């Protein structure tokens, strides 16, 4: 078995998981078997992806690449991004014991993975690391940044969920929502999930994305901060989430306002991750 | 304090201003990523037309917006805002940290968000001792005080975590101070010098002016390492530091990408290289062991008089970077007619002649390009980063949790226990822990 096949299979496993969670959302959470299958399929997808990533690492080792990290280009980083979302979602499901969250999280894992596998722009070939990328800070920087990105993606999914339910509540006048909105967690709980995933992502993104990134840049190029577009956009993203946390703490914002900030923050995240590489030029052109 | 000063202070102490400044900083930062920075004036005229280019110039958006007076002014305002905001709120927070929680009254305890009431069949003093032991066993070490005929016990965890936000704010300021230190007392410079040469000066990246190194740096060798698929794996400069004041012996070391060399407050980074049109040839008579090394240019011959041998490079095959892969060597020795043969870079080839075998080695000469940074602020920046990590941990992961137990005399000669508590965040998880604690107390035979 090659890593490419495993990672390709992962795409379908994520798709199956996403479809199952959407089905659970539509048909309700009463069918326990379907719930169990959804969780197992998600775990299976995560396992496939983990094996794919490890196998790819091993293949690089066998090809004589020496120092390698399977997070070194856009393709690999998308695969890892999807992995982080799937893991993050499973953790949420475990904590909140609510499977309706899955319909707003697993589709992102599928989209990221499918984007990695089927977008013609990426080179999926295993290529050795450029000298500048051979650093332990790279591993730390990328892993922490992507866990952060995944948390922001989940916060975005939860924000969409919140806004949809809030709209239904406003229109129906029923504080618990009507129809399938009634099966979603209470607004207060969704608000809590949004806020917690944002602060978790914020910590990881600050430490991994900004601080480890700065240390790595300093050891490779001799400047810890050069206002390169990628750096600048990660700072902008950081500002958005820092502002979100501050309005929550000091001005007591919650609910719809925080949900909209989570949406804004995620757009900024996507631009930092993807947009900068293709619309702007800079040092960070590898991913 | 005058009223005016008070208003200025209030402005800078407002989170509203902070949010505006953050929005402005973010919005203007976007501008600098859309309009490329550090380009020549002609670039902007070509891309945006002369009028827009002039406007950008006047507004200081190009060539370096992030160093422009107005962007720096925004950062300064942001720093002042950060300092004033923190100073304004610190006293209140500090009061919460050092608050004497035994000063509270039973009435106020009744209003706490988490409460549990129990009966104990002992008088308050003995019951207090019992509850103290039970709480200590559950991990809550209490302080006690007599209060209105009863006993009040109090325990808290993570009170200082309320300072986390201030640690983060201070860390941002420390990072700014580090960046300022670096830009005032440091510089960026570069040097490019060939293998076999020694330098004593750097050239400032901005002004191009020479800067004395204070020691000598010699480049022995520059090597490009390749992966099996011919992609570049490594750039390495083997250098010697000649600095009698620091080392009695010259120090041999190397500089690689991601592995800079540090010496005397300077950091040397491998950043570029230049293949030269000069080749080092080593010829050895394998019978006598005699050897001759020469640096040759293409189509210049070298005579080795002791052996009566003449050699040179007649032709080279280079890639577009100027890296030579193959050499054509011309060779003449007394025993036979002149001949030419091909060989690759850094390879040995032996040529057989009637009088002896000659071993050839050829290597292209390279110049190495180093970036040099003097940044005395970098450690301050790293200190700030470390403090920020600590602050984030304290602010987000540690919760200030408080538990009170008030024992008052009951009519039956026993006592009433009021257990109450609260936390400043993670309320749901503290709720759970509080319930478990109450449960634990109820398991005691004297309590129900």
């Amino acid at each position: 078995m090659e890593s490419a096949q495993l990672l390709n299979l992962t795409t379908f496993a994520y798709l199956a998981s996403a479809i199952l969670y959407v089905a659970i959302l539509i048909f309700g959470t009463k069918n326990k078997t379907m719930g169990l299958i959804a969780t197992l399929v998600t775990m299976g997808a995560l396992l496939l992806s983990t094996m794919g990533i490890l196998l790819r690492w091993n293949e690089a080792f066998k090809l004589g690449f020496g120092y390698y990290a399977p997070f070194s280009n856009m393709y690999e980083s998308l695969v890892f991004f999807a992995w982080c979302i799937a893991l993050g979602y499973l953790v949420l499901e475990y904590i909140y014991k609510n499977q309706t969250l899955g319909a707003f999280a697993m589709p992102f894992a599928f989209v990221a993975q499918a984007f990695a596998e089927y977008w013609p722009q990426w080179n999926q070939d295993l290529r050795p690391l450029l000298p500048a990328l051979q650093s332990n800070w790279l591993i730390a920087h990328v892993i922490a940044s992507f866990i952060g990105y995944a948390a922001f993606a989940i916060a975005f999914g939860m924000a969409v969920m919140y806004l949809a339910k809030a709209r239904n509540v406003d229109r129906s006048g029923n504080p618990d929502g009507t129809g399938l909105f009634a099966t979603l967690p209470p607004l207060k709980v969704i608000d809590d999930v949004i806020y917690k995933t944002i602060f978790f992502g914020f910590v990881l993104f600050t430490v991994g994305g900004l601080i480890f990134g700065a240390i790595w840049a300093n050891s490779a190029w001799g400047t810890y901060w050069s206002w390169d577009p990628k750096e600048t956009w990660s700072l902008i993203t950081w500002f958005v989430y820092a502002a979100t946390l501050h309005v929550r703490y000091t001005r007591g914002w919650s609910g719809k306002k925080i949900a909209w900030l989570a949406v804004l923050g995620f757009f900024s995240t996507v631009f930092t991750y993807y947009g900068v590489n293709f619309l702007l030029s800079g040092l960070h052109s590898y991913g | 304090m005058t009223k005016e000063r008070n208003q200025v202070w209030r402005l800078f102490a407002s989170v509203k201003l902070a949010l505006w400044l953050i929005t402005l900083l973010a919005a203007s930062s976007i501008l600098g990523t859309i309009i490329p920075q550090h380009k020549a004036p002609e670039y902007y005229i070509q891309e945006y037309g002369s009028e827009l280019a002039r406007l950008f110039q006047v507004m200081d958006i190009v060539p370096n917006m992030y160093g422009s007076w107005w962007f720096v002014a925004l950062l300064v305002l942001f720093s002042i805002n950060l300092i004033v905001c923190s100073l304004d709120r610190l006293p209140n927070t500090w009061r919460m940290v050092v608050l004497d929680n035994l000063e509270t009254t039973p009435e106020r305890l009744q209003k706490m968000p988490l409460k549990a009431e129990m009966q104990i069949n002992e008088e308050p003093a003995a019951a207090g001792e019992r509850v103290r032991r039970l709480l200590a066993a559950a991990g809550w070490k209490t302080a006690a005080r007599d209060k209105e005929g009863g006993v009040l016990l109090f325990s808290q965890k993570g009170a200082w975590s309320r300072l986390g936000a201030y640690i983060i704010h201070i860390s941002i300021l420390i990072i700014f101070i580090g960046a300022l230190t670096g830009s005032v007392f440091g510089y960026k410079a570069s040097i490019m010098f060939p293998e076999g040469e020694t330098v004593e000066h750097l050239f400032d990246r901005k002004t191009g002016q020479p800067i004395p190194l204070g020691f000598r740096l010699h480049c022995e060798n520059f090597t490009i390492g390749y992966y099996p698929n011919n992609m570049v794996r490594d750039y390495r400069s083997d250098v010697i530091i000649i600095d009698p004041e620091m080392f009695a012996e010259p120090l041999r070391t190397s500089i690689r990408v991601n592995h800079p060399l540090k010496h005397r407050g300077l950091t040397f980074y491998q950043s570029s290289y230049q293949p030269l049109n000069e080749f080092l040839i080593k010829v050895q008579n394998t019978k006598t062991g005699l050897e001759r090394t020469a640096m040759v240019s293409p189509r210049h011959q070298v005579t080795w008089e002791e052996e009566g041998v003449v050699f040179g490079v007649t032709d080279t095959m280079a890639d577009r970077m100027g890296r030579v892969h193959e050499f054509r060597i011309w060779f003449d020795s007394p025993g036979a007619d002149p001949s030419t043969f091909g060989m690759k870079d850094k390879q040995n080839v032996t040529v057989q002649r009637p009088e002896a075998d000659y071993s050839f080695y050829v290597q292209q000469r390279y110049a190495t390009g180093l970036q040099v940074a003097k940044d005395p602020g970098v450690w301050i920046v790293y200190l700030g980063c470390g403090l920020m990590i600590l602050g984030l941990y304290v602010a987000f992961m540690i919760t200030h949790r408080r538990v009170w137990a008030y024992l008052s005399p009951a009519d039956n000669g026993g006592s009433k226990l009021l257990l109450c508590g609260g936390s400043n965040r993670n309320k749901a998880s503290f709720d759970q822990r509080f319930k478990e604690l109450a449960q634990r107390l109820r398991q005691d035979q004297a309590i129900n």
Side-chain angles (χ1 to χ4, degrees), chain B residues 18 45 50 57 72 88 96 110 167 277 298 343 365 371 384:
Chain B
I45 295 172
S50 59
Q57 200 101 49
V72 172
D88 197 57
M96 281 304 289
Q110 282 291 352
I167 300 177
N277 216 7
M343 62 186 294
R365 193 185 194 197
Q371 290 285 353

Side-chain angles (χ1 to χ4, degrees), chain B residues 89-315:
Chain B
R89 286 164 179 74
L90 187 58
N92 266 330
T93 313
W94 185 249
R95 241 171 266 139
M96 281 304 289
V97 174
V98 297
L99 183 69
D100 179 4
N101 286 285
L102 290 169
E103 261 313 298
T104 188
T105 58
E107 290 73 40
R108 274 206 299 224
L109 290 178
Q110 282 291 352
K111 291 182 192 132
M112 291 301 294
L114 296 173
K115 271 187 313 186
E117 280 171 293
M118 295 166 223
Q119 308 289 328
I120 305 179
N121 55 16
E122 289 170 325
E123 43 138 359
E129 177 54 24
R130 179 181 294 277
V131 173
R132 187 196 65 76
R133 264 189 287 112
L134 287 168
L135 286 175
W140 297 92
K141 275 181 110 174
T142 49
R145 190 173 296 167
D146 293 337
K147 177 134 318 204
E148 299 177 15
V151 180
L152 179 63
L153 299 173
F154 172 72
S155 178
Q156 66 177 350
K157 285 177 181 169
W160 53 279
S161 75
R162 290 182 181 266
L163 297 173
Y166 300 92
I167 300 177
I168 300 174
H169 290 172
I170 290 169
S171 76
I172 294 173
L173 294 171
I174 290 177
I175 291 171
F176 282 173
I177 291 168
L180 196 66
T181 309
S183 69
V184 173
F185 300 105
Y187 57 77
K188 298 274 192 286
S190 58
I191 29 168
M192 169 79 89
F193 61 122
E195 292 168 314
E197 284 190 15
T198 308
V199 287
E200 293 179 67
H201 289 93
L202 305 169
F203 295 91
D204 191 288
R205 208 195 284 174
K206 272 200 206 113
T207 63
Q209 292 299 308
I211 303 166
L213 262 178
F215 59 94
R216 289 191 296 155
L217 188 70
H218 176 82
C219 176
E220 271 196 297
N221 229 325
F222 173 78
T223 325
I224 305 177
Y226 295 91
Y227 288 107
N229 70 352
N230 285 329
M231 277 179 66
V232 172
R233 173 182 215 138
D234 191 25
Y235 299 107
R236 194 182 81 229
S237 297
D238 295 317
V239 295
I240 301 175
I241 301 171
I242 303 150
D243 189 352
E245 287 171 35
M246 303 278 284
F247 313 119
E249 292 283 312
L251 183 79
R252 209 176 227 110
T253 178
S254 63
I255 304 170
R256 291 187 295 141
V257 180
N258 265 315
H259 299 274
L261 165 71
K262 291 197 173 82
H263 185 62
R264 287 208 188 207
L266 299 176
T267 315
F268 296 80
Y269 300 85
Q270 183 66 57
S271 79
S272 63
Y273 67 92
Q274 182 79 57
L276 303 176
N277 216 7
E278 287 180 310
F279 314 101
L280 179 93
I281 301 187
K282 218 186 271 177
V283 189
Q284 189 186 36
N285 180 327
T286 53
K287 202 191 268 173
T288 61
L290 287 173
E291 204 180 79
R292 171 74 201 265
T293 304
M295 191 63 83
V296 301
S297 308
R299 288 178 294 283
H300 278 85
Q301 53 185 21
V302 179
T303 311
W304 183 4
E305 278 169 8
E306 291 85 345
E307 294 273 325
V309 156
V310 184
F311 56 88
V313 174
T314 59
D315 203 7

